[in-house]
Amino acid sequence: MSKNFDVVVIGGGPGGYIAAIRAAQLGFSTACIDEWKNAKNGPAPGGTCTNVGCIPSKALLQSSEHYEHAGHAFADHGIEVKGLNLNLGQMLARKDTIVKQNNDGILYLFKKNKVTFFHGRGSFVKGDANGYEIKVAGAAEESITAKHVIVATGSNARALPNAPFDEKLILSNTGALAIDSVPKKLGVIGAGVIGLEMGSVWRRVGAEVTVLEALPGFLSAVDEQIAKEAFKLFTKQGLSISLGVKIGAITPGKKDVTVEYTDDKGNAQKAVFDRLIVSIGRVPNTIGLNAEGVGLKLDERGFIAVDGDCKTNLPNVWAVGDVVRGPMLAHKAEEEGVAVAERIAGQHGHVNFNTIPWVIYTSPEIAWVGKTEQQLKAEGIAYKAGSFPFMANGRARALGDTSGMVKFLADAKSDEILGVHIIGPMASELISEAVVAMEFRASSEDIARICHAHPSLSEATKEAALAVDKRSLNF
Ligand code: FAD
Ligand code: NAI
């Protein structure tokens, strides 16, 4: 006998588990299937984000930043640390505990919201507009049916064709978060978000980090002025970043891995690393879903093809998160999950792609929302720019963290905010004000006229807004 639900969600990452909770809140009988296993083969819902992504990377970024501060920044505050020691085992164990707390939290939320959880792999058996049959292959095999199916099967790390991940020497994000001794020389291929975040973690705890990037420009999706500042700061910290390289042969040895590449001047180079992280983007995951068996359409890049409302080509089958087009971000997946559950309920779920914030959790952090200066130029939109350096912000000075700036871009005529770009302390938190402002289609003058607490980093946001009209008060 198969169990029947109104809504079945395949995948329990941020897209899937949030969709399931919202569907249950809306009164649907809901199930969520997720196959992720913890070290004891038990369920570990939360997907990439919780298990090998957002959460563990931020745990290690925090720990390694504390270590770096204790070693280098505390003395300036008059705090003398003697006998500073790295206990990497404890650092990794703390990260694992935080991951488990998040896994358990999701299982608790499923119970609280009456979402039925299945631990195993879900795949389509058959179906049409009247309902779908889904097989769950786990410890036991089950068959479930549902009127609506939401696919949220996420993504996997992209490997280089000549260097499959072994997670010992050649590491994806999974291995990069679990290196059990600090490598003397760490190679990173790809200077994107993962490369910079994980490169920062391992540099802070003592690795000599070399980042090899194919593109001639650094962080090409980031506003150029901010990316330039970031490049300067990261290289000063000790990350060695080579742009415009062409990766050639990659040869793993017994204890190290040799990377041959051509540098930006066309010279052949060879480097030997104790570990190599390959972070060159991610690919959508539809493995084992039996998409082809039920005629679920994929696009030419392997993503599940969806329209603006996350509808697939099959009636009542929806897809959200990393497995569909758009930025691969946890909060984008969550927004789509909520919107789809609401659309199933006949409501008008909505995701505003123009106000999805991006954050890179390096030190300093980089965060932005909306258009970059280079995008505005390319689109021929007339704009005004204003920026304010953290150097001139009292709170940043008190923190001892004065690098970076806040930058506003506003429409030349209407003054509507078109983009906000931050590199600096707590940029991840500061960006929220800009997101709210843009969601309400505020002008830079609106922000300039709002009272901001003193002393706070957010005053730099207000000052950057004032700078759009060339009337900064503190710079
Ligand atoms: P996923 O989180 O990948 O979840 C998919 C789930 O579905 C997995 O549990 C998988 O096991 C399961 N699954 C797949 N197929 C099946 C099947 N057939 N049956 C059952 N279960 C299945 N984003 C941010 O916004 N902020 C960050 O700070 C951030 N940091 C990151 C750091 C790293 C190192 C990485 C790799 C990613 C990071 N991301 C971050 C991206 C973020 O993790 C993803 O955008 C997000 O997890 C996507 O959510 P999702 O629900 O679409 O997919
Ligand atoms: P990415 O797309 O951010 O960066 C990949 C980089 O690798 C690019 O700069 C690209 O030019 C380069 N590259 C591609 N092929 C290459 C090659 N053959 N040789 C050298 N360089 C090459 O991808 P990344 O870092 O793997 O992260 C994947 C995604 O995960 C991100 O795009 C983001 O969506 C998500 N993520 C988000 C985080 C956050 O929100 N803070 C943190 C980490 C990941």
Side-chain angles (χ1 to χ4, degrees), residues 58 160 189-195 197 212-215 245 247 279-282 327-329 358-361:
K58 266 79 258 179
L160 281 165
I189 299 185
V193 197
I194 294 180
E197 288 189 359
L212 302 172
E213 163 63 42
L215 290 179
V245 310
I247 303 292
S279 46
I280 56 166
R282 297 180 62 81
M328 287 184 165
L329 295 173
W358 275 85
V359 179
I360 307 178
Y361 293 82

Side-chain angles (χ1 to χ4, degrees), residues 154-421:
S155 63
N156 292 319
R158 181 197 301 277
L160 281 165
N162 57 341
F165 297 118
D166 59 20
E167 304 299 2
K168 289 189 182 80
L169 290 172
I170 302 177
L171 315 174
S172 71
N173 54 299
T174 303
L177 287 158
I179 306 177
D180 58 7
S181 65
V182 179
K184 203 164 166 302
K185 284 178 189 277
L186 174 68
V188 178
I189 299 185
V193 197
I194 294 180
L196 293 173
E197 288 189 359
M198 296 319 300
S200 296
V201 165
W202 293 106
R203 181 199 59 73
R204 290 171 192 166
V205 295
E208 192 183 299
V209 180
T210 304
V211 186
L212 302 172
E213 163 63 42
L215 290 179
F218 182 61
L219 285 178
S220 47
V222 174
D223 185 89
E224 266 169 21
Q225 190 184 356
I226 302 285
K228 221 169 133 192
E229 180 74 7
F231 188 82
K232 201 175 76 195
L233 292 168
F234 297 158
T235 43
K236 199 170 152 210
Q237 288 167 4
L239 278 185
S240 158
I241 307 170
S242 299
L243 302 171
V245 310
K246 195 167 181 305
I247 303 292
I250 296 182
T251 319
K254 275 208 175 106
K255 285 192 173 160
D256 51 26
V257 47
T258 303
V259 178
E260 290 169 55
Y261 62 96
T262 313
D263 67 18
D264 59 346
K265 295 184 183 66
N267 300 321
Q269 303 283 357
K270 196 188 249 192
V272 182
F273 300 113
D274 300 304
R275 296 280 204 290
L276 180 69
I277 297 174
V278 177
S279 46
I280 56 166
R282 297 180 62 81
V283 288
N285 172 28
T286 52
I287 302 162
L289 199 56
N290 191 27
E292 57 297 341
V294 281
L296 178 62
K297 205 172 142 203
L298 308 185
D299 69 18
E300 61 287 349
R301 295 186 303 153
F303 290 91
I304 294 179
V306 288
D307 66 8
D309 284 347
C310 292
K311 274 188 188 149
T312 70
N313 66 312
L314 299 179
N316 300 335
V317 178
W318 312 72
V320 301
D322 279 13
V323 78
V324 304
R325 83 286 171 267
M328 287 184 165
L329 295 173
H331 41 285
K332 174 265 194 183
E334 291 184 15
E335 292 299 310
E336 286 183 335
V338 167
V340 163
E342 293 179 350
R343 283 172 199 137
I344 292 173
Q347 299 181 1
H348 298 280
H350 179 65
V351 181
N352 185 355
F353 275 83
N354 296 324
T355 54
I356 294 176
W358 275 85
V359 179
I360 307 178
Y361 293 82
T362 41
S363 179
E365 293 179 346
I366 302 171
W368 73 97
V369 58
K371 307 257 188 207
T372 60
E373 210 166 334
Q374 61 266 28
Q375 278 173 327
L376 292 175
K377 278 184 189 147
E379 290 171 26
I381 298 171
Y383 64 92
K384 300 176 285 182
S387 60
F388 186 83
F390 282 105
M391 187 65 88
N393 174 273
R395 183 72 194 281
R397 280 198 214 112
L399 285 171
D401 207 349
T402 51
S403 49
M405 73 190 91
V406 180
K407 171 173 174 177
F408 264 63
L409 299 170
D411 187 275
K413 253 196 174 154
S414 69
D415 194 37
E416 180 175 348
I417 302 166
L418 301 175
V420 176
H421 305 271

Side-chain angles (χ1 to χ4, degrees), residues 37-58:
K37 289 184 187 138
N38 61 24
K40 294 178 180 156
N41 282 331
T48 302
C49 170
T50 301
N51 292 294
V52 290
C54 325
I55 300 300
S57 61
K58 266 79 258 179

